Amino acid sequence: QPQLQESGPGLVKPSETLSLTCNVSGDSIITSRRYWGWIRQPPGKGLEWIGSIYYNGGTYYNPSLKSRVTISVDTSENQFSLKLSSVTAADTTVYFCARHGVNYRSGFDSWGQGTLVAVSS
Amino acid sequence: QSALTQPRSVSASPGQSVTISCSGTSSEVGGYNYISWYQEIPGTAPKLLIYDVTKRPSGVPDRFSGSKSGNTASLTISGLQADDEADYYCCSYAGSYTFVFGGGTKLTVL
């Protein structure tokens, strides 16, 4: 199983852009031919899929977040990133990165431990 | 997309069985056989237990099983053990390359 590790600022100011990176080890984003995704979890609440990306940059986004989300991939560094713009307190959550199963529709077979991002001035 | 509906909590004694339901609509749960279940222990990475409604990844004990009827999916854990105490989440493919998760169920092993 691959190891996924999220990194980025733990505090972002309202109206600014949240930026996180997921470093992948033990698997290659290119050769795995898998999609890679971001999921978030507000404190004490359920999970929410944010979006997913393929090694060639192809992306799918949650319609409810699409206007504010950009997911990108850096195959040379074997990592992918999340940018969420115009953040508010509602974006204070734990953010997870994950690998899709062999079949994109089958869900997520490996996850990072998650990183808490707080939105506050 | 609305979150799938799961009971907030369930409980059972060691050795017993427990079933966690996950209710949706024909737009996700009922429309596709792509239901997955995850175990989340606070502070650790969520773990895939079931995918494609009934399939178990290698390494997941056969005490964990999944099923679906209409717009409701279920996860059954038999022979409960103390370390099964965790939060459990369902997820369904929802068409157009999107996913929706459940609100989560806290399992307490009495």
Side-chain angles (χ1 to χ4, degrees):
Chain A
Q1 291 286 15
Q3 302 297 315
L4 292 87
Q5 181 65 59
E6 306 88 351
S7 63
L11 181 64
V12 181
K13 289 183 168 56
S15 80
E16 295 189 344
T17 296
L18 176 160
S19 296
L20 295 174
T21 295
C22 181
N23 185 69
V24 179
S25 58
D27 194 12
S28 165
I29 286 179
I30 293 179
T31 61
S32 69
R33 294 297 193 263
R34 304 280 192 103
Y35 275 82
W36 304 81
W38 287 97
I39 298 108
R40 68 180 186 175
Q41 182 176 33
K45 296 188 178 180
L47 297 163
E48 179 180 36
W49 173 73
I50 300 170
S52 299
I53 191 165
Y54 200 45
Y55 77 97
N56 63 0
T59 53
Y60 298 110
Y61 296 133
N62 186 324
S64 68
L65 297 169
K66 186 175 182 177
S67 63
R68 298 194 293 131
V69 173
T70 302
I71 298 176
S72 58
V73 64
D74 185 341
T75 54
S76 66
E77 296 290 336
N78 209 40
Q79 60 188 25
F80 60 105
S81 299
L82 168 70
K83 291 188 185 298
L84 181 65
S85 64
S86 305
V87 297
T88 68
D91 296 311
T92 293
T93 84
V94 174
Y95 289 81
F96 295 97
C97 59
R99 183 184 74 173
H100 280 259
V102 173
N103 182 337
Y104 173 87
R105 296 170 176 82
S106 296
F108 308 89
D109 67 359
S110 296
W111 295 62
Q113 290 197 337
T115 187
L116 175 63
V117 178
V119 177
S120 175
S121 55
Chain B
Q1 291 179 330
S2 297
L4 305 176
T5 301
Q6 297 182 233
R8 291 289 297 269
S9 65
V10 296
S11 61
S13 300
Q16 291 185 329
S17 295
V18 67
T19 296
I20 299 171
S21 61
C22 171
S23 297
T25 71
S26 58
S27 296
E28 354 84 358
V29 175
Y32 305 95
N33 288 322
Y34 295 116
I35 306 298
S36 50
W37 289 91
Y38 304 87
Q39 178 190 61
E40 184 183 24
I41 297 171
T44 69
K47 176 184 177 182
L48 175 66
L49 297 174
I50 298 289
Y51 68 100
D52 294 355
V53 181
T54 62
K55 298 177 182 177
R56 276 179 289 106
S58 61
V60 174
D62 60 6
R63 301 186 298 106
F64 295 89
S65 62
S67 62
K68 191 185 85 165
S69 177
N71 297 334
T72 299
S74 298
L75 171 71
T76 298
I77 310 172
S78 58
L80 267 177
Q81 300 177 358
D83 60 5
D84 293 332
E85 189 160 289
D87 295 324
Y88 292 84
Y89 293 88
C90 62
C91 175
S92 176
Y93 178 70
S96 300
Y97 299 96
T98 67
F99 295 86
V100 62
F101 283 88
T105 299
K106 181 177 179 56
L107 168 63
T108 300
V109 181
L110 301 171

